[in-house]
Amino acid sequence: MVSMEMEYFDAEKIMNSGQVFRMYGNDDGSITVYSGDRRLRLVQKGKQVDFFCTEKEFEEYWKHYFDLDRDYAEMVRTVLGDEAGIGEAKKGDGFLKAACRYGSGIRLLNQDIWEMMISFIISQQKQIPSIRKCIEALSRRFGENKGDYYAFPSAEAIASAGPDGVKGLSLGYRERYIYETAVAYLERGLPDEEIRKMSFEDARKYFCSFCGIGEKVANCICLFGAGFIDAFPIDVHIKDILYREYAGGSIPEEKMRLCDYQLLIEENFGRFAGFKGLVQQWIFAYELVRK
DNA sequence: TACCAGGATGCTA
DNA sequence: TAGCATCATGGT
């Protein structure tokens, strides 16, 4: 077991932040997280966090997974400021400050990139509980049996089952995307470490070259798997927030285009270059609990 | 019943 | 290049 005292770490909020779909609360208050073919149980009481794994496994995988080497205190301070409240958030931006206070324990996870590709292909036009169910079902069918749980399926397992292999899992029109991406990943998929060394732009282009991955999904993979924490996925919730909190009613909502939302992001969050994606995650998670 | 969900694709003008 | 219809399925 590895025990740590941590500021800016809230396992429950990470679990419910919409970036991870295989993280579950247990009846005893502990939390279990699955990533690729690994599994970890952890217990958090206040700042005290116990990770139930060997020190070797923690150092090799979970420490980076939870992004523990990054200084989150500095990013929170930049937005909230000191105790006098003089932060970089625009004067009057109560929404951002409230979102930051709510989400300051959220970490941007460095998840398995292949798992992120398939998970966020599934995520399109689906609600989060439904995404979880689909990923569970996919893992049960194609994932390696690890005794009392299933690993996330490999590209080989999905591709070798053929185009009809993914039927019957409530995936709908995403079936073709998943199968074709699995086949393409076998042919030209790159190791995670190679992708993490790319520029943000190159990584986005690489992800968008797979069937079923567009700008939004590519940004999610970049942010939640590849460590590009300036990525800013724009989904329906983010559009709602941007229009309601920042557009000032200048344009009717149905006239808003993607470039209008991008402009709002630049105007209101551009000065947080270096961790814009964390700001995105704060406001997204805050919006989820307010609804 | 009608509408919506952490959207992407392919066709049309 | 931009705008639009279409794509399954489950949940509210």
Side-chain angles (χ1 to χ4, degrees), chain A residues 116-156:
Chain A
M116 290 297 93
M117 289 169 67
I118 295 303
S119 297
F120 280 96
I121 285 175
I122 291 172
S123 80
Q124 59 188 266
Q125 295 294 101
K126 270 188 176 295
Q127 301 186 81
I128 291 172
S130 176
I131 301 166
R132 289 176 179 272
K133 284 181 188 170
C134 284
I135 294 173
E136 274 181 28
L138 192 70
S139 300
R140 214 169 295 125
R141 181 174 296 181
F142 294 108
E144 185 189 346
N145 188 338
K146 306 288 283 185
D148 49 356
Y149 72 98
Y150 289 91
F152 192 82
S154 65
E156 291 89 336

Side-chain angles (χ1 to χ4, degrees), chain A residues 166-190:
Chain A
V166 289
K167 287 194 175 302
L169 300 174
S170 298
L171 295 168
Y173 62 88
R174 306 163 196 80
E175 288 173 354
R176 179 172 72 88
Y177 300 164
I178 292 168
Y179 171 72
E180 289 192 12
T181 291
V183 171
Y185 188 83
L186 280 182
E187 290 173 356
R188 55 187 179 83
L190 299 173

Side-chain angles (χ1 to χ4, degrees), chain A residues 242-253:
Chain A
L242 290 171
Y243 187 75
R244 188 186 68 230
E245 303 290 334
Y246 300 100
S250 53
I251 312 177
E253 190 165 7

Side-chain angles (χ1 to χ4, degrees), chain A residues 95-114:
Chain A
F95 183 81
L96 174 58
K97 289 196 172 185
C100 177
R101 282 189 207 97
Y102 169 79
S104 61
I106 295 174
R107 297 264 162 174
L108 289 171
L109 304 178
N110 293 296
Q111 302 182 74
D112 179 83
I113 290 178
W114 160 250

Side-chain angles (χ1 to χ4, degrees), chain A residues 33-273:
Chain A
V33 55
Y34 302 81
S35 177
D37 61 351
R38 297 167 188 263
R39 175 177 67 175
L40 173 73
R41 194 169 73 89
L42 65 89
V43 175
Q44 176 162 23
K45 285 175 185 158
K47 294 175 184 174
Q48 178 75 27
V49 186
D50 298 335
F51 299 92
F52 289 87
C53 64
T54 65
E55 202 154 313
K56 183 169 182 287
E57 197 183 359
F58 184 79
E59 287 296 325
E60 284 178 358
Y61 192 80
W62 295 109
K63 186 177 178 184
H64 181 242
Y65 176 90
F66 286 111
D67 207 29
L68 298 187
D69 286 325
R70 201 185 300 277
D71 185 2
Y72 280 71
E74 178 60 26
M75 297 185 281
V76 171
R77 262 201 305 275
T78 302
V79 172
L80 288 186
D82 56 22
E83 289 182 359
I86 308 164
E88 288 289 324
K90 266 189 183 171
K91 194 176 178 184
D93 194 347
F95 183 81
L96 174 58
K97 289 196 172 185
C100 177
R101 282 189 207 97
Y102 169 79
S104 61
I106 295 174
R107 297 264 162 174
L108 289 171
L109 304 178
N110 293 296
Q111 302 182 74
D112 179 83
I113 290 178
W114 160 250
E115 181 170 345
M116 290 297 93
M117 289 169 67
I118 295 303
S119 297
F120 280 96
I121 285 175
I122 291 172
S123 80
Q124 59 188 266
Q125 295 294 101
K126 270 188 176 295
Q127 301 186 81
I128 291 172
S130 176
I131 301 166
R132 289 176 179 272
K133 284 181 188 170
C134 284
I135 294 173
E136 274 181 28
L138 192 70
S139 300
R140 214 169 295 125
R141 181 174 296 181
F142 294 108
E144 185 189 346
N145 188 338
K146 306 288 283 185
D148 49 356
Y149 72 98
Y150 289 91
F152 192 82
S154 65
E156 291 89 336
I158 294 174
S160 64
D164 292 337
V166 289
K167 287 194 175 302
L169 300 174
S170 298
L171 295 168
Y173 62 88
R174 306 163 196 80
E175 288 173 354
R176 179 172 72 88
Y177 300 164
I178 292 168
Y179 171 72
E180 289 192 12
T181 291
V183 171
Y185 188 83
L186 280 182
E187 290 173 356
R188 55 187 179 83
L190 299 173
D192 287 10
E193 291 321 308
E194 195 167 324
I195 296 166
R196 288 176 177 136
K197 285 179 194 163
M198 289 180 177
S199 70
F200 178 30
E201 270 309 308
D202 287 348
R204 252 180 15 198
K205 281 181 196 161
Y206 165 74
F207 291 129
C208 284
S209 72
F210 290 90
C211 179
I213 299 180
E215 270 299 313
K216 189 270 172 184
V217 168
N219 271 283
C220 286
I221 304 164
C222 282
L223 186 57
F224 306 134
F228 294 102
I229 67 166
D230 263 325
F232 204 108
I234 303 174
D235 75 326
V236 291
H237 300 293
I238 291 295
K239 286 179 179 174
D240 283 349
I241 295 167
L242 290 171
Y243 187 75
R244 188 186 68 230
E245 303 290 334
Y246 300 100
S250 53
I251 312 177
E253 190 165 7
E254 62 272 16
K255 295 273 186 191
M256 290 285 288
R257 311 211 174 287
L258 188 59
C259 59
D260 297 316
Y261 290 110
Q262 286 167 333
L263 190 60
L264 287 175
I265 291 166
E266 231 8 75
E267 285 173 359
N268 293 282
F269 309 127
R271 63 192 173 289
F272 304 124

